[in-house]
Amino acid sequence: MLQIPEHKISIVEIKTDFDVRIFIKREDLIHPKISGNKFWKLFFNVNQYLESKPKNPLLITFGGAFSNHIASVSAFGKQFDIPTIGIIRGNELENNWQDNPTLSQASKNAMKFFFVSREDYQNKEKLTQKFSENYPNSLIIPEGGSNKIAVEGVQYMLGNDTKDFDYLCTAVGTGGTIAGISKFADENQKVVGIKVVKDDSLENLVKQWSGRDNFELIDADENRYGKITDENIRFINWFYNEYQIPLDPIYTGKMMQKIFDLAGKSFFPKGSKILAFHTGGLQGIKGANQFLKSKGRELIAE
């Protein structure tokens, strides 16, 4: 069994000229390789799995070429000495994955890869069934790590230090993190999720997992997953220069950019205290910069 780690995550105020106060909780600093929400979502899934005392434990999961989840699962496996397999979207990567910073690091963490076509990757139920049959004692973790068990782990992102805030904000990809924040938030707190994906099913899924309706989902200015605009890059680099806090281009960069936009439009009542969760994903900057450099575009500060 894994022990819940003792941790004290700092909350930093982001000084602005808005008529609200904005803070950021640095969950990205909980672990150097398993950042933020990924740590807690994986921790609870793996702990429940190990309770069953599986013979030859094995973690299997899904992800794209620059997936923070793939990076985190591989690091988690290395940390706790559990073999890992990554089912990777895009069989075109099979012969050149060594050039990919995320997959290269995952391989150093001893993760084995299975590359599948983008078409086959869409049918995860079929892939899950196939790998369950081939590896009957394994734990198959969904893409992004979100499920009902993961939601329970997110409660550890909340505590006495988060009770004094009117709004709790997070980026939303697969829905597990906002569901956990929604489920364990205090009665007086409103939860705001900034969607970085186009997925109309998320609201019902989050409500199903959290059992509450204390949250609101708002689209990021660019909510196509993995799409990085020049404005995203400008904001991330400005934010880093201004506050010395790095943001990733997929999740936290888009979240903070939208929070600033909402604050400027008086979405939050005057005097509100807003807490944004930095959920990590910073390893993805290297891959993003690799792509941006190939296109001759501005790079993200690291």
Side-chain angles (χ1 to χ4, degrees), residues 14 24-26 28 228 232-241 243-260 276-286 288-289 300-302:
I14 305 300
I24 189 165
K25 188 167 191 226
R26 297 293 306 275
D28 59 305
I228 306 169
N232 296 150
I233 298 168
R234 280 192 291 271
F235 179 85
I236 290 168
N237 287 342
W238 169 82
F239 193 89
Y240 183 73
N241 185 61
Y243 303 110
Q244 291 73 60
I245 297 175
L247 302 173
D248 85 286
I250 308 301
Y251 297 102
T252 56
K254 293 178 180 179
M255 173 190 68
M256 290 308 301
Q257 186 178 353
K258 192 63 180 179
I259 289 172
F260 272 50
F277 290 89
H278 193 316
T279 49
L282 298 176
Q283 66 84 30
I285 294 176
K286 287 191 187 305
N289 277 343
I300 298 165
E302 294 188 60

Coordinates of all heavy atoms in Angstrom, one line a residue, residues 14 24-26 28 228 232-241 243-260 276-286 288-289 300-302:
I14 N -1.5 36.6 -6.9 CA -1.2 37.2 -8.2 C -1.7 38.6 -8.2 O -2.9 38.9 -8.3 CB -1.8 36.4 -9.4 CG1 -1.5 34.9 -9.3 CG2 -1.4 37.0 -10.7 CD1 0.0 34.6 -9.4
I24 N -3.0 31.5 -6.8 CA -2.7 30.3 -7.5 C -2.1 29.3 -6.5 O -1.2 29.6 -5.8 CB -1.9 30.5 -8.7 CG1 -1.8 29.3 -9.6 CG2 -0.5 31.0 -8.4 CD1 -1.2 29.5 -11.0
K25 N -2.7 28.1 -6.5 CA -2.1 27.0 -5.7 C -1.2 26.1 -6.5 O -1.6 25.6 -7.5 CB -3.2 26.2 -5.0 CG -2.7 25.2 -4.0 CD -3.8 24.6 -3.1 CE -3.2 23.8 -2.0 NZ -3.7 22.5 -1.8
R26 N 0.1 26.0 -6.1 CA 1.1 25.4 -6.9 C 1.2 23.9 -6.7 O 2.2 23.3 -6.3 CB 2.5 26.0 -6.5 CG 2.6 27.5 -6.8 CD 2.6 27.8 -8.3 NE 3.6 27.1 -9.1 CZ 4.8 27.5 -9.3 NH1 5.3 28.6 -8.7 NH2 5.7 26.7 -10.0
D28 N 1.6 22.0 -9.0 CA 2.6 21.4 -9.9 C 3.9 21.1 -9.1 O 4.7 20.4 -9.7 CB 2.9 22.5 -11.0 CG 3.4 23.8 -10.4 OD1 2.6 24.4 -9.6 OD2 4.5 24.3 -10.8
I228 N -2.5 25.7 -29.9 CA -1.8 26.8 -29.3 C -1.8 28.0 -30.2 O -1.2 27.9 -31.3 CB -0.4 26.4 -28.9 CG1 -0.3 25.1 -28.1 CG2 0.3 27.5 -28.1 CD1 1.1 24.5 -28.0
N232 N -2.1 32.7 -26.9 CA -1.7 31.8 -25.7 C -0.3 32.0 -25.3 O 0.0 32.2 -24.2 CB -2.0 30.4 -26.1 CG -3.4 30.0 -26.4 OD1 -3.6 29.1 -27.2 ND2 -4.4 30.7 -25.8
I233 N 0.6 32.0 -26.3 CA 2.0 32.1 -26.1 C 2.4 33.4 -25.5 O 3.1 33.5 -24.5 CB 2.8 31.8 -27.4 CG1 2.5 30.4 -27.9 CG2 4.3 32.0 -27.2 CD1 3.0 30.2 -29.4
R234 N 1.8 34.5 -26.0 CA 2.1 35.8 -25.5 C 1.7 35.9 -24.0 O 2.4 36.5 -23.2 CB 1.4 36.9 -26.3 CG 2.1 37.2 -27.6 CD 1.6 38.5 -28.3 NE 0.2 38.3 -28.8 CZ 0.0 37.9 -30.0 NH1 0.9 37.6 -30.8 NH2 -1.3 37.7 -30.4
F235 N 0.5 35.4 -23.7 CA 0.0 35.5 -22.3 C 0.9 34.7 -21.4 O 1.3 35.1 -20.3 CB -1.4 35.0 -22.2 CG -1.9 35.0 -20.8 CD1 -2.5 36.2 -20.3 CD2 -1.8 33.9 -20.0 CE1 -2.9 36.2 -18.9 CE2 -2.3 33.9 -18.6 CZ -2.8 35.1 -18.1
I236 N 1.3 33.4 -21.8 CA 2.1 32.6 -20.9 C 3.5 33.2 -20.7 O 4.0 33.2 -19.5 CB 2.3 31.2 -21.6 CG1 1.0 30.4 -21.5 CG2 3.4 30.4 -20.9 CD1 1.0 29.2 -22.4
N237 N 4.1 33.8 -21.7 CA 5.4 34.4 -21.5 C 5.3 35.7 -20.7 O 6.2 36.0 -19.9 CB 6.0 34.7 -22.9 CG 6.5 33.4 -23.6 OD1 6.7 32.4 -22.9 ND2 6.7 33.5 -24.9
W238 N 4.2 36.5 -20.9 CA 4.0 37.7 -20.1 C 3.8 37.3 -18.6 O 4.4 37.9 -17.7 CB 2.8 38.4 -20.6 CG 2.3 39.5 -19.6 CD1 2.9 40.8 -19.5 CD2 1.3 39.4 -18.6 NE1 2.3 41.5 -18.5 CE2 1.3 40.7 -17.9 CE3 0.5 38.4 -18.2 CZ2 0.5 40.9 -16.8 CZ3 -0.4 38.6 -17.1 CH2 -0.4 39.9 -16.5
F239 N 3.0 36.2 -18.4 CA 2.7 35.8 -17.0 C 4.0 35.3 -16.3 O 4.2 35.7 -15.1 CB 1.7 34.7 -17.1 CG 1.1 34.3 -15.7 CD1 -0.1 35.0 -15.3 CD2 1.6 33.3 -14.9 CE1 -0.7 34.6 -14.1 CE2 1.1 33.0 -13.7 CZ -0.1 33.7 -13.3
Y240 N 4.8 34.6 -17.0 CA 6.1 34.1 -16.5 C 7.0 35.3 -16.1 O 7.6 35.3 -15.1 CB 6.8 33.2 -17.4 CG 8.0 32.6 -16.9 CD1 8.0 31.6 -15.9 CD2 9.3 33.0 -17.3 CE1 9.2 31.0 -15.4 CE2 10.5 32.4 -16.8 CZ 10.4 31.5 -15.9 OH 11.5 30.9 -15.3
N241 N 7.1 36.3 -17.0 CA 7.9 37.4 -16.8 C 7.4 38.3 -15.6 O 8.2 38.8 -14.8 CB 8.0 38.3 -18.1 CG 8.9 39.4 -17.9 OD1 10.1 39.3 -17.7 ND2 8.4 40.7 -18.1
Y243 N 5.2 37.2 -13.0 CA 5.0 36.5 -11.7 C 6.0 35.4 -11.5 O 6.0 34.8 -10.4 CB 3.6 35.9 -11.7 CG 2.5 37.0 -11.9 CD1 1.8 37.0 -13.0 CD2 2.3 38.0 -10.9 CE1 0.8 38.0 -13.2 CE2 1.3 38.9 -11.1 CZ 0.6 38.9 -12.3 OH -0.4 39.9 -12.4
Q244 N 6.9 35.1 -12.4 CA 7.9 34.0 -12.3 C 7.2 32.7 -12.0 O 7.8 31.8 -11.3 CB 8.9 34.3 -11.2 CG 9.9 35.4 -11.5 CD 9.2 36.8 -11.5 OE1 8.7 37.2 -10.4 NE2 9.2 37.5 -12.6
I245 N 6.0 32.5 -12.6 CA 5.3 31.2 -12.5 C 5.1 30.6 -13.9 O 4.5 31.3 -14.7 CB 4.0 31.3 -11.8 CG1 4.2 31.8 -10.3 CG2 3.2 30.0 -11.8 CD1 2.9 32.1 -9.6
P246 N 5.7 29.5 -14.2 CA 5.5 28.9 -15.6 C 4.1 28.3 -15.7 O 3.6 27.7 -14.8 CB 6.6 27.8 -15.6 CG 6.8 27.4 -14.2 CD 6.6 28.6 -13.4
L247 N 3.6 28.4 -16.9 CA 2.3 27.8 -17.2 C 2.4 27.0 -18.5 O 3.3 27.3 -19.3 CB 1.2 28.9 -17.5 CG 0.9 29.9 -16.4 CD1 0.0 31.0 -16.9 CD2 0.3 29.3 -15.2
D248 N 1.7 25.9 -18.5 CA 1.8 25.1 -19.7 C 0.7 25.5 -20.8 O -0.2 26.2 -20.4 CB 1.5 23.6 -19.4 CG 0.0 23.3 -19.4 OD1 -0.6 23.7 -18.4 OD2 -0.5 22.6 -20.3
P249 N 1.0 25.2 -22.1 CA 0.1 25.8 -23.1 C -1.2 25.1 -23.3 O -2.1 25.6 -24.0 CB 1.0 25.7 -24.4 CG 1.8 24.5 -24.1 CD 2.1 24.5 -22.6
I250 N -1.4 23.9 -22.7 CA -2.6 23.1 -22.9 C -3.6 23.4 -21.9 O -4.8 23.5 -22.2 CB -2.3 21.6 -23.0 CG1 -1.1 21.3 -24.0 CG2 -3.5 20.8 -23.3 CD1 -1.4 21.7 -25.4
Y251 N -3.2 23.4 -20.6 CA -4.2 23.6 -19.5 C -4.1 24.9 -18.8 O -4.9 25.8 -18.9 CB -4.0 22.4 -18.5 CG -4.2 21.0 -19.1 CD1 -3.2 20.2 -19.4 CD2 -5.5 20.6 -19.2 CE1 -3.4 18.9 -19.9 CE2 -5.8 19.3 -19.7 CZ -4.7 18.5 -20.1 OH -4.9 17.3 -20.6
T252 N -3.0 25.0 -18.0 CA -2.9 26.2 -17.0 C -2.8 27.5 -17.7 O -3.3 28.5 -17.2 CB -1.8 26.0 -16.0 OG1 -0.6 25.8 -16.7 CG2 -2.1 24.8 -15.1
G253 N -2.1 27.5 -18.9 CA -2.0 28.8 -19.6 C -3.3 29.3 -20.1 O -3.7 30.5 -19.9
K254 N -4.1 28.4 -20.6 CA -5.5 28.8 -21.1 C -6.4 29.1 -19.9 O -7.2 30.0 -20.0 CB -6.1 27.7 -22.0 CG -5.3 27.5 -23.3 CD -5.9 26.3 -24.1 CE -5.1 26.1 -25.4 NZ -5.6 25.0 -26.2
M255 N -6.2 28.4 -18.8 CA -7.0 28.7 -17.6 C -6.8 30.1 -17.1 O -7.7 30.9 -16.9 CB -6.8 27.7 -16.5 CG -7.4 28.0 -15.2 SD -6.9 27.0 -13.8 CE -5.2 27.5 -13.6
M256 N -5.5 30.4 -16.9 CA -5.2 31.7 -16.3 C -5.5 32.9 -17.3 O -6.0 33.9 -16.9 CB -3.7 31.8 -15.9 CG -3.3 31.0 -14.7 SD -4.3 31.2 -13.2 CE -4.1 32.9 -12.9
Q257 N -5.3 32.6 -18.5 CA -5.7 33.6 -19.5 C -7.2 33.9 -19.5 O -7.6 35.1 -19.5 CB -5.3 33.1 -20.9 CG -5.5 34.1 -22.1 CD -5.1 33.6 -23.4 OE1 -4.5 32.5 -23.5 NE2 -5.4 34.3 -24.5
K258 N -8.0 32.9 -19.3 CA -9.5 33.1 -19.2 C -9.9 33.7 -17.9 O -10.8 34.6 -17.9 CB -10.2 31.7 -19.4 CG -11.7 31.9 -19.6 CD -12.0 32.7 -20.9 CE -13.5 32.9 -21.2 NZ -13.7 33.6 -22.4
I259 N -9.2 33.3 -16.8 CA -9.5 33.9 -15.5 C -9.3 35.5 -15.6 O -10.1 36.3 -15.1 CB -8.7 33.3 -14.4 CG1 -9.3 31.9 -14.1 CG2 -8.8 34.1 -13.1 CD1 -8.4 31.1 -13.2
F260 N -8.2 35.8 -16.2 CA -7.9 37.3 -16.3 C -9.0 38.0 -17.2 O -9.4 39.1 -16.9 CB -6.5 37.5 -16.9 CG -5.4 37.5 -15.9 CD1 -5.3 36.6 -14.9 CD2 -4.5 38.6 -15.9 CE1 -4.2 36.6 -14.0 CE2 -3.4 38.6 -15.0 CZ -3.3 37.6 -14.0
A276 N -7.0 29.6 -8.2 CA -6.8 28.8 -9.3 C -5.8 27.7 -9.0 O -4.8 28.0 -8.3 CB -6.2 29.6 -10.5
F277 N -6.1 26.5 -9.4 CA -5.2 25.4 -9.1 C -4.2 25.2 -10.3 O -4.6 25.0 -11.4 CB -6.0 24.1 -8.9 CG -6.8 24.1 -7.6 CD1 -8.0 24.6 -7.6 CD2 -6.2 23.6 -6.5 CE1 -8.8 24.6 -6.4 CE2 -6.9 23.6 -5.3 CZ -8.2 24.1 -5.2
H278 N -2.9 25.2 -10.0 CA -1.9 25.0 -11.0 C -1.7 23.4 -11.1 O -1.1 22.9 -10.2 CB -0.6 25.7 -10.7 CG 0.4 25.7 -11.8 ND1 0.7 24.6 -12.6 CD2 1.2 26.7 -12.3 CE1 1.6 24.9 -13.5 NE2 1.9 26.1 -13.3
T279 N -2.3 22.8 -12.1 CA -2.3 21.4 -12.1 C -1.1 20.7 -12.9 O -1.1 19.6 -13.2 CB -3.6 20.9 -12.8 OG1 -3.8 21.6 -14.0 CG2 -4.8 21.2 -11.9
G280 N -0.1 21.5 -13.1 CA 1.1 21.0 -13.7 C 1.1 21.0 -15.2 O 0.7 21.9 -15.9
G281 N 1.6 19.9 -15.8 CA 1.7 19.7 -17.2 C 2.9 20.5 -17.9 O 3.0 20.6 -19.1
L282 N 3.8 20.9 -17.0 CA 4.9 21.7 -17.6 C 5.9 20.9 -18.5 O 6.6 21.5 -19.3 CB 5.7 22.4 -16.4 CG 4.9 23.3 -15.5 CD1 5.7 23.9 -14.4 CD2 4.4 24.5 -16.4
Q283 N 5.9 19.6 -18.3 CA 6.7 18.8 -19.2 C 6.3 19.0 -20.6 O 7.2 18.8 -21.5 CB 6.7 17.3 -18.7 CG 5.4 16.6 -18.9 CD 5.1 16.1 -20.3 OE1 6.1 15.8 -21.0 NE2 3.9 16.1 -20.7
G284 N 5.1 19.3 -20.9 CA 4.6 19.5 -22.2 C 5.2 20.7 -23.0 O 5.0 20.8 -24.2
I285 N 5.8 21.6 -22.2 CA 6.4 22.8 -22.9 C 7.5 22.4 -23.9 O 7.5 23.0 -25.0 CB 6.9 23.8 -21.8 CG1 5.8 24.3 -21.0 CG2 7.7 24.9 -22.5 CD1 6.2 25.2 -19.9
K286 N 8.3 21.4 -23.6 CA 9.4 21.0 -24.5 C 8.8 20.5 -25.8 O 9.3 20.9 -26.9 CB 10.2 19.9 -23.8 CG 11.1 20.4 -22.7 CD 12.1 19.4 -22.4 CE 13.0 19.8 -21.1 NZ 13.6 21.0 -21.3
A288 N 5.8 21.2 -27.0 CA 5.2 22.3 -27.7 C 6.2 23.2 -28.4 O 6.0 23.6 -29.6 CB 4.4 23.2 -26.7
N289 N 7.3 23.5 -27.7 CA 8.3 24.3 -28.3 C 9.0 23.6 -29.5 O 9.4 24.3 -30.5 CB 9.4 24.7 -27.3 CG 9.0 25.9 -26.5 OD1 8.1 26.6 -26.8 ND2 9.7 26.0 -25.3
I300 N 7.8 29.2 -26.0 CA 7.3 29.4 -24.7 C 8.5 29.4 -23.7 O 9.3 28.6 -23.8 CB 6.3 28.3 -24.3 CG1 5.1 28.3 -25.2 CG2 5.9 28.4 -22.8 CD1 4.2 27.1 -25.2
A301 N 8.5 30.4 -22.8 CA 9.5 30.4 -21.8 C 9.6 29.2 -20.9 O 8.5 28.7 -20.5 CB 9.3 31.7 -20.9
E302 N 10.8 28.7 -20.7 CA 10.9 27.5 -19.8 C 11.7 27.8 -18.6 O 12.6 28.6 -18.7 CB 11.6 26.4 -20.6 CG 10.8 25.8 -21.8 CD 11.5 24.6 -22.4 OE1 11.7 23.6 -21.7 OE2 11.8 24.7 -23.6

